[in-house]
Amino acid sequence: MQLNLSTWCEVKDYLKTQKDIIIPIGSMEQHGPMGFIGTDSICPEIVASGISKTQNVLIAPTIPVGMSQHHLAFPGSLTLRPTTMIAVIKDIILSLTGHGFTHLFFLNGHGGNVASIKTAFSEIYAEHSLSNKPSSVHLDLYNWYDGKRVEEIENKYFKDVNGSHATPSEISLSFYAHPDAVKKAELSPRVAPTNQFRDCFDFQNNFPDGRIGSDSSLASIAVGKELFEAAVQDALEIYKQFINNKP
Amino acid sequence: MQLNLSTWCEVKDYLKTQKDIIIPIGSMEQHGPMGFIGTDSICPEIVASGISKTQNVLIAPTIPVGMSQHHLAFPGSLTLRPTTMIAVIKDIILSLTGHGFTHLFFLNGHGGNVASIKTAFSEIYAEHSLSNKPSSVHLDLYNWYDGKRVEEIENKYFKDVNGSHATPSEISLSFYAHPDAVKKAELSPRVAPTNQFRDCFDFQNNFPDGRIGSDSSLASIAVGKELFEAAVQDALEIYKQFINNKP
Amino acid sequence: MQLNLSTWCEVKDYLKTQKDIIIPIGSMEQHGPMGFIGTDSICPEIVASGISKTQNVLIAPTIPVGMSQHHLAFPGSLTLRPTTMIAVIKDIILSLTGHGFTHLFFLNGHGGNVASIKTAFSEIYAEHSLSNKPSSVHLDLYNWYDGKRVEEIENKYFKDVNGSHATPSEISLSFYAHPDAVKKAELSPRVAPTNQFRDCFDFQNNFPDGRIGSDSSLASIAVGKELFEAAVQDALEIYKQFINNKP
Amino acid sequence: MQLNLSTWCEVKDYLKTQKDIIIPIGSMEQHGPMGFIGTDSICPEIVASGISKTQNVLIAPTIPVGMSQHHLAFPGSLTLRPTTMIAVIKDIILSLTGHGFTHLFFLNGHGGNVASIKTAFSEIYAEHSLSNKPSSVHLDLYNWYDGKRVEEIENKYFKDVNGSHATPSEISLSFYAHPDAVKKAELSPRVAPTNQFRDCFDFQNNFPDGRIGSDSSLASIAVGKELFEAAVQDALEIYKQFINNKP
Amino acid sequence: MQLNLSTWCEVKDYLKTQKDIIIPIGSMEQHGPMGFIGTDSICPEIVASGISKTQNVLIAPTIPVGMSQHHLAFPGSLTLRPTTMIAVIKDIILSLTGHGFTHLFFLNGHGGNVASIKTAFSEIYAEHSLSNKPSSVHLDLYNWYDGKRVEEIENKYFKDVNGSHATPSEISLSFYAHPDAVKKAELSPRVAPTNQFRDCFDFQNNFPDGRIGSDSSLASIAVGKELFEAAVQDALEIYKQFINNKP
Amino acid sequence: MQLNLSTWCEVKDYLKTQKDIIIPIGSMEQHGPMGFIGTDSICPEIVASGISKTQNVLIAPTIPVGMSQHHLAFPGSLTLRPTTMIAVIKDIILSLTGHGFTHLFFLNGHGGNVASIKTAFSEIYAEHSLSNKPSSVHLDLYNWYDGKRVEEIENKYFKDVNGSHATPSEISLSFYAHPDAVKKAELSPRVAPTNQFRDCFDFQNNFPDGRIGSDSSLASIAVGKELFEAAVQDALEIYKQFINNKP
């Protein structure tokens, strides 16, 4: 059930029996010469969509732009400042809790978002703790690629060259989601270097074509399909724990 | 050309010959018993997509959540505070101008966004004016429903009962975009009341089912198709003026 | 009744029978070679003063500096950033509603303020909507020059050359308010160009002497007097609707 | 020379020979049963006006609302939060320094503003110090009642009962400025109590009619006239030091 | 009793009988060629520690970095922006009042902090006054060097050359606190100049070695010991008034 | 070398040969019935102090209050909101980089600070990336307890009952730092429960005496001494990599 395509009456009905919602959150940032700029939004969006096919759960619209300051030297990358992102997440959480939602599951596609999302959660909780008003909201953050089934597939196909940005894993999944838009590119070197990074200029110095430690050329729609099924199972498992274990 | 599905290399190439981009911006808010919560995002998104088929222009991902505080009494509606929305728009504009984009066209689907978007533009310009640094960016805001071709169709099919929220016009367009999700509902009264509103509680008092002045039941995919073609022509005309007339 | 010259005991008495107040709001910005920098504050201030002579209503002090970033290239212009202006309006509204005022009528003199004022209203309402606390405040915004009586006079005397900044209309009214300070200047061209504008540098490029589309030289104290009477009638009419129609 | 009633061309000429400006700053807050709510704005405004008659200096419009949170329990009092006030002062200073003004003299009428104004000055300077960009602006704050000539008159007429809020001194000066609006009231006790205060509820508990330590009933237009002349001389002396001693 | 070294159970017990706490607040800024960068934090910290030996009172950890923008041209100086400092003080006050503390005594070591601390207090009170929620907190600010006993010692040993920054008085006290770290330096001139200052560049121009009006070379551990005892007595006296006189 | 006890001249000399600094950062929050409220500040402070004895490096004053919203239900705990903490860290970083420091090593004692500190780093970098100004600063975050030597000791003495809050490990280290303040308490149950937590009310429900998964009673000064030596070695190793590997 997509919030986007529901009416308020349908959401009202949904809330009579359940109070949980999945919020895909991604980014709009370069993913090397072959990867879509929207990779990190496309992936959690399709995984959420997969979940909603086996589980009756409401899916919020994907938050499309994340914390991607380090990618700004590559054309087309967009970022929110971390403090802007905190404000966005806070307003969305307040909107949802106002309707009675109690379990909000942020299904994330971008490692660079993690600290900002967690900080937004703490900002919300701090507001309650400082004003002596207990909160009824449960907030969880899960990266679609963090489950064991996904890891197995990554190890099977991309061992050692999955890297940490523009990975063949995430590119496969995004290709599976958008088969008509699949790209090809000569990668040189095949496997990108690894390193730390600071601002976008430092990032570009370290990673001239935008990839970190990955060989994106191994990406395929076929592996994307396997990853999709694995990621849906992984996320579903975590999601069920989330809505069951917490009162 | 969708930013979402492009690589940074493709955007780099694009920027060699043109510096303009269309940014659809909408909202996630109730649209009465028949309208999608995502109506105001779906409409500019599909219009932008239509434009990109006749004009080589880059389309940014749709900003899905807008300023919808007045709808929060209806389940599923989300809002950003105006000041959050200003921060979001500012960061996106700064990201794009950093890449060399000079003409940013916000294609809007929600009247309630207008003041906040204009204020965001002024905040950006004020930064330049107060720090004595001339800006090279041109910012424009256009509501997809403001053109004369759209107005003609609205007058033809929905005269006097198009209203101002959950209009059969916007619902038709969103149905055309998502024919599989079309809703039906009994509307009572057929034509919703009109009035002003303040916060979401006042809004709900005035408009018990969420519509303002409209008879949503007149919406149809067929009219949606006509509206789509008209809206693309209207927006394209304004867009061309925007990128041609300003140096 | 001027808040400025009242005691708190007088305001306490006033609040026993009515809860409405008029807040003039203007700007401090260039108005071409003949217009006062304070034109947009002077005009709503004198109109408010006129209203208070026929209607028992409390007039707040004029907010003298507005959103005028686009005028900063002209010496003497002052601006608040939009976000600062939102904070100012918010604090003043909170102060007044704390005393029990329920109907706040912002009588505006500057088109450039409109988006920021409306956004401030939404920010207030969003606070209520997001925290589930219905608001009792009614906020209205009216530009002194938007009524039909004023329009008639403008059409009679300044047709086609009233323009949109440093208009002979607003300059006439400000001259009527300050006859001792009336200015003369050679205008070249007599009728200023029209165009859009972005930051203050772009504004100055487009409008070298600061006027937009206007022939300020037609301004006179005599027409100012007519405008004053018309504007008071126009605003009074709207004001009465505002305090009567809303519960 | 009043900024309010000047054209940008006149300000441009002024800046050819001098770069200083006086900015009256006050408050809108109760001043006991006899004092105007606008007392603290009226006083620096008339003193600034007096200065401009003997010294060629530009006078900015009075900032009418200040930091008066402690007065909010008395109807009609308005406040800006301190952080809002800092933003306002910052924007006005940036506007003026952008035009080339180098010496900004804030002529203050309200003790409660002092910490916020000084903090705003530090915020501006901190911006320069933290970004390694030396500032050319000189900022000064002077309370109109702090000079020795004013003190002598206060001692002569109001010794021991001038108090610290709703003083016969400030009320005399405001009565001199607005003789038609002079109020009378029975004061009980004649001399108000003194104490410290915290928020507006605590203030009202301590000072039931709003005065602190003062016998406002001693106020008169005649003493107001003497105070006016003294305050102009005092402020002028400090002002000349300000613009002469600092390079 | 040091908060730092207490358990929550001990604080819980403390709160059964008293609700007061002392919060030392200082800065991290140059103090001339001989003075510690931490002088202004060390001094209130040791005075607070002295108080806690004669009076059962809880001492919060010292806030180590203050508003020192004017010192940034000297290596090692740190500053918070005033608005950051306001946020810090606000959060700490809210944390403490949440536990039931009612009397918070800020024992300050840095004159440059005063306006920001007072503004933070007003920001807290304004929040209460604007939201119609009376506050139970009592906030006080006391500079350790402002008492009469300290003044006597300063007059006895450093008359006329104590100055206002890097004073032999504060340096003596910090040397007494850290005898192993005592510094020596050639001072030229012995007595530093006095003047006003703006940003850190202006400060450095006026005060090349960082001192203002002081002869730091007179500092000694012996006088530091006398100052310590005097400052503890002075502060204790004020502190007792603070907790006794206010209900 | 402690910044606190240095003069600006000494820091100036230091900067001639090295540009690195260690910034201990902790929290002020309950650590169960036996642990100091200052545990998380005391630990990185003493580790930093240990490092400075074998390595010539400047140590900044410890940031004493961190992000501890979840502990506020326990008396004496203090918190900064995450956004306040971001502002504090940003100002300190800007102060240091203004002096020419290039390598800033945050030595952290509190897991709850991690997301906020990382977010602050990103906020700084985002400022650079969005304004097209490459940054020269290198920021690193290291938790004193994350090294392999510390882990070995924890496994040796506290295996399975070290837990994640009020661990015998951190309490041992803080006891070693403050042997005179060592506490004893009956713990029931000996080993605290484990769980997740949200705001401070939820935390207290889950962990009635404040501990998570730990048996604090195993803490001892003797193990604290071992941990101190291990932690210094661990941190030094990481620190040397930090200052050597990055240009």
Side-chain angles (χ1 to χ4, degrees):
Chain A
M1 183 178 173
Q2 300 288 333
L3 181 61
N4 194 39
L5 296 177
S6 303
T7 66
W8 69 263
C9 309
E10 291 166 340
V11 177
K12 192 179 172 192
D13 284 345
Y14 176 91
L15 282 162
K16 286 175 187 159
T17 56
Q18 55 188 122
K19 312 284 187 193
D20 51 306
I21 187 166
I22 295 177
I23 304 148
I25 183 164
S27 72
M28 208 50 51
E29 68 186 39
Q30 68 84 16
H31 275 78
M34 287 178 51
F36 303 140
I37 285 175
T39 301
D40 291 350
S41 292
I42 291 164
C43 291
E45 187 164 300
I46 192 175
V47 173
S49 175
I51 291 172
S52 77
K53 273 160 198 152
T54 62
Q55 172 93 357
N56 184 36
V57 56
L58 193 59
I59 311 292
T62 303
I63 301 177
V65 181
M67 210 305 290
S68 307
Q69 66 83 18
H70 41 306
H71 295 291
L72 284 181
F74 293 91
S77 301
L78 305 180
T79 197
L80 299 184
R81 278 169 227 265
T83 44
T84 301
M85 199 166 173
I86 291 167
V88 168
I89 293 171
K90 199 173 150 185
D91 287 356
I92 289 176
I93 291 173
L94 283 179
S95 298
L96 289 168
T97 55
H99 296 311
F101 288 96
T102 57
H103 285 69
L104 280 58
F105 189 78
F106 285 77
L107 185 58
N108 181 41
H110 173 44
N113 285 345
V114 171
S116 295
I117 297 172
K118 285 187 176 170
T119 302
F121 290 0
S122 295
E123 189 79 8
I124 292 268
Y125 289 137
E127 196 71 36
H128 284 273
S129 296
L130 281 167
S131 62
N132 209 21
K133 292 184 191 152
S135 161
S136 58
V137 73
H138 297 74
L139 302 168
D140 205 0
L141 169 64
Y142 178 70
N143 303 315
W144 72 263
Y145 47 77
D146 272 350
K148 59 181 185 293
R149 294 174 189 81
V150 167
E151 197 187 357
E152 272 170 31
I153 296 172
E154 289 177 345
N155 284 337
K156 180 172 165 196
Y157 294 107
F158 313 130
K159 196 167 175 51
D160 296 337
V161 298
N162 197 43
S164 59
H165 187 67
T167 68
S169 168
E170 62 188 347
I171 294 180
S172 294
L173 182 54
S174 69
F175 282 2
Y176 172 68
H178 291 279
D180 295 344
V182 167
K183 319 275 177 182
K184 283 214 177 312
E186 287 294 302
L187 300 180
S188 165
R190 276 280 296 260
V191 184
T194 62
N195 205 344
Q196 288 184 297
F197 51 85
R198 301 178 292 124
D199 62 18
C200 69
F201 311 102
D202 184 56
F203 186 102
Q204 195 185 31
N205 280 344
N206 288 321
F207 316 109
D209 76 356
R211 294 173 298 136
I212 306 180
S214 65
D215 177 359
S216 312
S217 69
L218 299 178
S220 73
I221 295 175
V223 178
K225 185 170 190 298
E226 285 187 51
L227 282 163
F228 168 71
E229 283 151 13
V232 169
Q233 288 310 309
D234 281 344
L236 199 50
E237 193 173 287
I238 301 292
Y239 187 68
K240 284 180 177 167
Q241 286 170 23
F242 173 59
I243 58 175
N244 291 330
N245 292 1
K246 289 186 180 169
Chain B
M1 182 179 172
Q2 300 288 332
L3 182 62
N4 194 37
L5 296 177
S6 304
T7 65
W8 70 262
C9 309
E10 290 167 340
V11 177
K12 192 179 172 191
D13 283 346
Y14 176 90
L15 282 162
K16 285 176 187 160
T17 57
Q18 57 188 122
K19 311 285 187 193
D20 51 306
I21 187 166
I22 294 177
I23 304 149
I25 183 164
S27 72
M28 206 52 48
E29 67 186 40
Q30 67 84 16
H31 275 77
M34 288 178 51
F36 303 140
I37 285 175
T39 300
D40 292 350
S41 292
I42 291 164
C43 291
E45 188 164 298
I46 193 175
V47 173
S49 174
I51 291 172
S52 77
K53 273 161 197 150
T54 61
Q55 172 92 358
N56 184 35
V57 56
L58 193 59
I59 310 293
T62 303
I63 301 176
V65 183
M67 210 305 290
S68 307
Q69 67 81 19
H70 42 306
H71 295 291
L72 284 181
F74 294 91
S77 301
L78 306 181
T79 196
L80 300 184
R81 278 168 227 265
T83 44
T84 301
M85 198 165 174
I86 291 168
V88 168
I89 293 172
K90 199 172 151 186
D91 287 356
I92 290 176
I93 291 174
L94 282 180
S95 298
L96 289 168
T97 55
H99 296 311
F101 288 94
T102 57
H103 286 69
L104 280 57
F105 189 79
F106 285 78
L107 185 58
N108 182 41
H110 174 44
N113 285 345
V114 171
S116 296
I117 297 173
K118 285 188 176 170
T119 302
F121 290 179
S122 294
E123 188 80 7
I124 292 268
Y125 288 138
E127 195 72 35
H128 284 272
S129 296
L130 281 167
S131 62
N132 209 21
K133 292 184 189 149
S135 161
S136 58
V137 73
H138 296 75
L139 303 168
D140 206 0
L141 169 64
Y142 177 71
N143 302 317
W144 71 264
Y145 47 77
D146 272 350
K148 59 180 184 294
R149 293 174 189 83
V150 167
E151 196 188 356
E152 273 171 32
I153 296 172
E154 289 177 345
N155 284 336
K156 182 171 163 196
Y157 294 106
F158 313 131
K159 197 167 173 51
D160 297 336
V161 299
N162 199 42
S164 60
H165 187 67
T167 68
S169 168
E170 61 188 349
I171 294 180
S172 295
L173 182 54
S174 69
F175 281 1
Y176 172 68
H178 291 279
D180 295 346
V182 166
K183 320 274 176 185
K184 285 213 177 308
E186 287 294 303
L187 301 181
S188 167
R190 276 282 293 263
V191 183
T194 63
N195 204 342
Q196 288 184 296
F197 52 84
R198 303 177 293 122
D199 62 18
C200 70
F201 311 102
D202 184 56
F203 185 102
Q204 195 185 33
N205 281 344
N206 288 320
F207 316 109
D209 76 356
R211 293 173 299 135
I212 307 180
S214 65
D215 177 359
S216 311
S217 69
L218 300 178
S220 73
I221 295 176
V223 178
K225 184 169 190 301
E226 285 187 53
L227 281 163
F228 168 71
E229 282 153 14
V232 168
Q233 288 310 308
D234 281 344
L236 198 53
E237 193 173 286
I238 301 291
Y239 187 68
K240 284 180 177 167
Q241 286 170 23
F242 172 59
I243 58 174
N244 292 330
N245 292 2
K246 289 187 180 170
Chain C
M1 182 179 173
Q2 300 289 332
L3 181 62
N4 194 39
L5 296 177
S6 303
T7 65
W8 69 263
C9 309
E10 290 167 340
V11 177
K12 192 179 172 191
D13 284 346
Y14 175 90
L15 281 162
K16 286 176 188 160
T17 56
Q18 56 188 122
K19 311 284 189 192
D20 52 306
I21 187 166
I22 295 177
I23 304 148
I25 184 164
S27 72
M28 207 50 50
E29 68 185 40
Q30 67 84 17
H31 275 78
M34 286 178 51
F36 303 140
I37 285 174
T39 301
D40 290 351
S41 292
I42 292 164
C43 292
E45 186 163 301
I46 193 176
V47 173
S49 174
I51 290 172
S52 77
K53 273 162 198 151
T54 62
Q55 172 93 358
N56 185 35
V57 55
L58 192 60
I59 310 293
T62 304
I63 301 177
V65 182
M67 211 304 291
S68 306
Q69 67 81 19
H70 42 306
H71 295 291
L72 283 181
F74 293 91
S77 301
L78 306 180
T79 196
L80 300 184
R81 278 170 226 264
T83 44
T84 301
M85 199 166 171
I86 290 168
V88 168
I89 292 171
K90 199 173 151 185
D91 287 356
I92 289 176
I93 291 173
L94 282 180
S95 298
L96 288 168
T97 55
H99 297 310
F101 288 96
T102 57
H103 285 69
L104 280 58
F105 189 79
F106 285 78
L107 184 57
N108 181 42
H110 174 44
N113 285 345
V114 170
S116 296
I117 297 173
K118 284 186 177 173
T119 302
F121 290 179
S122 295
E123 188 80 7
I124 293 268
Y125 288 137
E127 196 71 35
H128 284 272
S129 298
L130 280 167
S131 62
N132 208 21
K133 292 184 190 150
S135 162
S136 58
V137 73
H138 295 75
L139 302 169
D140 206 359
L141 170 63
Y142 177 70
N143 302 316
W144 72 264
Y145 47 78
D146 272 350
K148 59 180 185 293
R149 293 175 188 82
V150 167
E151 195 187 357
E152 271 170 33
I153 295 172
E154 288 177 346
N155 283 337
K156 180 171 164 197
Y157 293 107
F158 313 130
K159 195 167 176 49
D160 297 334
V161 298
N162 198 42
S164 59
H165 188 66
T167 68
S169 168
E170 61 188 348
I171 294 181
S172 294
L173 182 54
S174 70
F175 281 2
Y176 171 68
H178 291 279
D180 296 344
V182 167
K183 320 274 177 185
K184 284 213 177 311
E186 287 294 302
L187 301 180
S188 166
R190 276 282 295 262
V191 183
T194 63
N195 204 344
Q196 288 184 296
F197 51 84
R198 302 178 292 124
D199 63 17
C200 70
F201 311 101
D202 184 56
F203 186 102
Q204 195 185 32
N205 280 344
N206 288 321
F207 316 109
D209 75 357
R211 294 172 298 136
I212 306 180
S214 66
D215 176 359
S216 313
S217 69
L218 299 178
S220 73
I221 294 175
V223 178
K225 184 169 191 299
E226 286 187 50
L227 282 163
F228 168 72
E229 282 151 13
V232 168
Q233 287 311 308
D234 281 344
L236 198 51
E237 194 173 286
I238 301 292
Y239 187 68
K240 283 180 177 168
Q241 287 171 23
F242 172 60
I243 58 174
N244 291 332
N245 292 3
K246 290 186 180 169
Chain D
M1 182 179 174
Q2 300 288 332
L3 181 61
N4 195 38
L5 297 177
S6 303
T7 65
W8 69 263
C9 309
E10 290 166 340
V11 177
K12 192 179 173 192
D13 284 346
Y14 175 90
L15 281 162
K16 286 175 186 159
T17 57
Q18 56 188 121
K19 310 285 188 193
D20 51 306
I21 187 166
I22 294 176
I23 304 148
I25 184 164
S27 72
M28 207 52 49
E29 67 186 41
Q30 68 83 16
H31 275 78
M34 287 178 52
F36 304 140
I37 285 175
T39 301
D40 291 350
S41 291
I42 292 164
C43 292
E45 187 163 300
I46 193 176
V47 173
S49 174
I51 291 172
S52 77
K53 272 160 199 153
T54 62
Q55 172 92 357
N56 184 35
V57 55
L58 192 61
I59 310 293
T62 302
I63 300 177
V65 182
M67 211 304 290
S68 307
Q69 67 82 18
H70 42 305
H71 295 291
L72 283 181
F74 293 91
S77 301
L78 307 180
T79 196
L80 300 184
R81 278 170 226 265
T83 45
T84 301
M85 198 166 174
I86 290 168
V88 168
I89 293 172
K90 199 171 151 186
D91 286 356
I92 290 177
I93 290 173
L94 282 179
S95 298
L96 289 168
T97 55
H99 297 311
F101 288 96
T102 57
H103 285 70
L104 281 57
F105 189 79
F106 285 77
L107 185 58
N108 182 42
H110 173 43
N113 285 346
V114 171
S116 295
I117 298 173
K118 284 187 177 172
T119 302
F121 290 0
S122 294
E123 188 80 7
I124 293 268
Y125 288 138
E127 196 72 35
H128 284 272
S129 297
L130 281 166
S131 61
N132 209 21
K133 292 184 191 153
S135 162
S136 59
V137 73
H138 296 75
L139 302 169
D140 206 359
L141 170 64
Y142 178 70
N143 302 316
W144 72 264
Y145 47 77
D146 271 351
K148 59 180 184 293
R149 292 174 189 84
V150 168
E151 196 188 358
E152 271 171 32
I153 295 172
E154 290 177 345
N155 284 337
K156 182 171 161 195
Y157 292 108
F158 313 130
K159 196 168 174 50
D160 297 335
V161 298
N162 198 43
S164 59
H165 187 66
T167 67
S169 169
E170 60 188 350
I171 294 180
S172 294
L173 181 54
S174 70
F175 281 2
Y176 172 68
H178 291 279
D180 295 344
V182 167
K183 320 273 177 185
K184 284 214 177 309
E186 287 294 303
L187 301 181
S188 166
R190 276 281 294 264
V191 182
T194 62
N195 205 343
Q196 289 184 297
F197 51 85
R198 303 177 292 122
D199 63 17
C200 70
F201 311 102
D202 184 56
F203 186 101
Q204 196 185 31
N205 280 344
N206 288 320
F207 316 110
D209 76 356
R211 293 172 299 136
I212 306 180
S214 65
D215 177 359
S216 310
S217 70
L218 299 179
S220 74
I221 295 176
V223 178
K225 185 169 190 298
E226 286 186 53
L227 281 163
F228 168 69
E229 282 151 14
V232 169
Q233 288 310 307
D234 281 344
L236 198 51
E237 194 173 287
I238 301 292
Y239 187 67
K240 285 180 175 168
Q241 286 170 23
F242 172 60
I243 59 175
N244 291 332
N245 292 2
K246 289 185 179 171
Chain E
M1 182 178 173
Q2 300 288 333
L3 181 62
N4 194 39
L5 297 177
S6 304
T7 65
W8 69 263
C9 309
E10 290 167 340
V11 177
K12 193 180 171 191
D13 284 345
Y14 175 91
L15 281 162
K16 286 176 187 159
T17 56
Q18 56 188 122
K19 312 284 189 193
D20 52 306
I21 187 166
I22 295 177
I23 303 149
I25 184 164
S27 71
M28 207 51 49
E29 67 186 40
Q30 67 84 17
H31 275 78
M34 287 178 51
F36 302 140
I37 284 175
T39 300
D40 290 350
S41 291
I42 291 164
C43 291
E45 187 164 301
I46 193 175
V47 173
S49 174
I51 291 171
S52 77
K53 274 162 197 149
T54 61
Q55 172 93 358
N56 184 35
V57 56
L58 192 59
I59 311 292
T62 303
I63 300 177
V65 182
M67 210 304 290
S68 307
Q69 66 82 18
H70 42 305
H71 295 291
L72 283 181
F74 293 91
S77 301
L78 306 181
T79 196
L80 300 184
R81 278 169 227 265
T83 44
T84 301
M85 199 166 171
I86 290 168
V88 168
I89 293 171
K90 199 172 152 186
D91 287 356
I92 289 176
I93 291 173
L94 282 179
S95 298
L96 289 168
T97 55
H99 297 310
F101 289 95
T102 58
H103 285 68
L104 281 57
F105 188 79
F106 285 78
L107 184 58
N108 181 42
H110 174 44
N113 285 346
V114 171
S116 295
I117 297 172
K118 285 187 176 171
T119 302
F121 290 179
S122 295
E123 188 80 8
I124 292 268
Y125 288 137
E127 196 72 36
H128 284 273
S129 297
L130 281 166
S131 62
N132 209 21
K133 292 183 189 150
S135 162
S136 59
V137 72
H138 296 75
L139 302 168
D140 205 0
L141 170 63
Y142 177 71
N143 303 316
W144 71 264
Y145 47 77
D146 271 351
K148 60 180 184 292
R149 293 174 189 82
V150 167
E151 196 188 356
E152 270 169 34
I153 296 171
E154 289 177 347
N155 284 338
K156 181 171 163 196
Y157 294 107
F158 313 130
K159 195 167 175 52
D160 296 335
V161 298
N162 197 44
S164 59
H165 187 65
T167 67
S169 168
E170 62 188 348
I171 294 180
S172 293
L173 181 55
S174 70
F175 281 2
Y176 172 68
H178 291 280
D180 296 345
V182 167
K183 319 276 177 183
K184 284 213 177 310
E186 287 294 302
L187 301 180
S188 167
R190 277 280 295 261
V191 183
T194 63
N195 205 344
Q196 289 184 296
F197 51 84
R198 302 176 293 124
D199 63 18
C200 70
F201 311 101
D202 184 56
F203 186 102
Q204 194 185 33
N205 280 344
N206 288 321
F207 316 109
D209 76 356
R211 293 173 299 136
I212 307 179
S214 66
D215 177 0
S216 312
S217 70
L218 299 179
S220 72
I221 295 175
V223 178
K225 185 169 189 299
E226 286 186 50
L227 283 163
F228 168 71
E229 282 152 12
V232 168
Q233 289 309 309
D234 281 344
L236 198 52
E237 194 173 288
I238 301 292
Y239 187 69
K240 284 180 177 168
Q241 287 170 22
F242 172 59
I243 58 174
N244 292 330
N245 291 3
K246 289 184 180 171
Chain F
M1 182 180 173
Q2 300 288 333
L3 181 61
N4 195 37
L5 297 177
S6 303
T7 66
W8 69 263
C9 308
E10 290 167 340
V11 177
K12 192 179 173 193
D13 284 346
Y14 176 90
L15 282 162
K16 286 176 186 160
T17 57
Q18 56 187 122
K19 311 284 188 191
D20 52 305
I21 187 166
I22 295 177
I23 304 149
I25 183 164
S27 72
M28 206 52 49
E29 68 186 40
Q30 67 83 16
H31 274 78
M34 287 178 51
F36 303 140
I37 285 174
T39 300
D40 291 350
S41 292
I42 291 164
C43 291
E45 187 163 299
I46 193 175
V47 173
S49 175
I51 291 172
S52 77
K53 275 164 195 149
T54 61
Q55 172 93 358
N56 184 35
V57 55
L58 192 59
I59 311 293
T62 303
I63 300 177
V65 182
M67 211 304 291
S68 306
Q69 66 82 18
H70 42 306
H71 295 291
L72 283 182
F74 294 91
S77 300
L78 306 180
T79 196
L80 300 184
R81 278 169 226 265
T83 45
T84 301
M85 199 166 172
I86 291 168
V88 167
I89 293 171
K90 200 172 151 186
D91 287 356
I92 290 176
I93 291 173
L94 282 180
S95 298
L96 289 168
T97 55
H99 297 311
F101 289 94
T102 58
H103 285 67
L104 280 58
F105 188 80
F106 285 78
L107 184 58
N108 181 42
H110 173 45
N113 285 345
V114 170
S116 296
I117 297 172
K118 284 187 177 171
T119 302
F121 290 179
S122 294
E123 188 81 7
I124 292 268
Y125 288 138
E127 195 72 36
H128 284 273
S129 296
L130 281 167
S131 63
N132 209 21
K133 291 183 190 151
S135 161
S136 59
V137 73
H138 296 74
L139 302 168
D140 206 0
L141 169 64
Y142 177 71
N143 303 316
W144 72 264
Y145 47 77
D146 272 351
K148 60 179 184 293
R149 294 174 188 83
V150 167
E151 196 188 356
E152 272 170 33
I153 296 171
E154 289 176 347
N155 283 338
K156 181 171 162 195
Y157 294 107
F158 313 130
K159 198 167 174 50
D160 297 335
V161 298
N162 197 43
S164 60
H165 187 67
T167 68
S169 168
E170 62 189 348
I171 294 180
S172 295
L173 181 54
S174 69
F175 281 2
Y176 172 68
H178 291 279
D180 296 345
V182 168
K183 319 274 177 184
K184 285 214 177 307
E186 288 294 302
L187 301 181
S188 166
R190 276 281 292 264
V191 182
T194 62
N195 205 343
Q196 288 184 296
F197 52 84
R198 303 175 294 122
D199 63 18
C200 69
F201 311 102
D202 184 56
F203 186 101
Q204 195 186 31
N205 281 344
N206 288 321
F207 316 109
D209 76 356
R211 293 172 299 137
I212 307 180
S214 65
D215 176 359
S216 312
S217 70
L218 299 179
S220 72
I221 295 176
V223 178
K225 185 169 189 299
E226 286 186 53
L227 282 163
F228 168 71
E229 281 152 14
V232 169
Q233 288 310 309
D234 280 345
L236 197 52
E237 194 173 287
I238 301 292
Y239 187 68
K240 283 180 178 168
Q241 286 170 22
F242 173 58
I243 59 175
N244 292 331
N245 292 2
K246 289 187 180 169

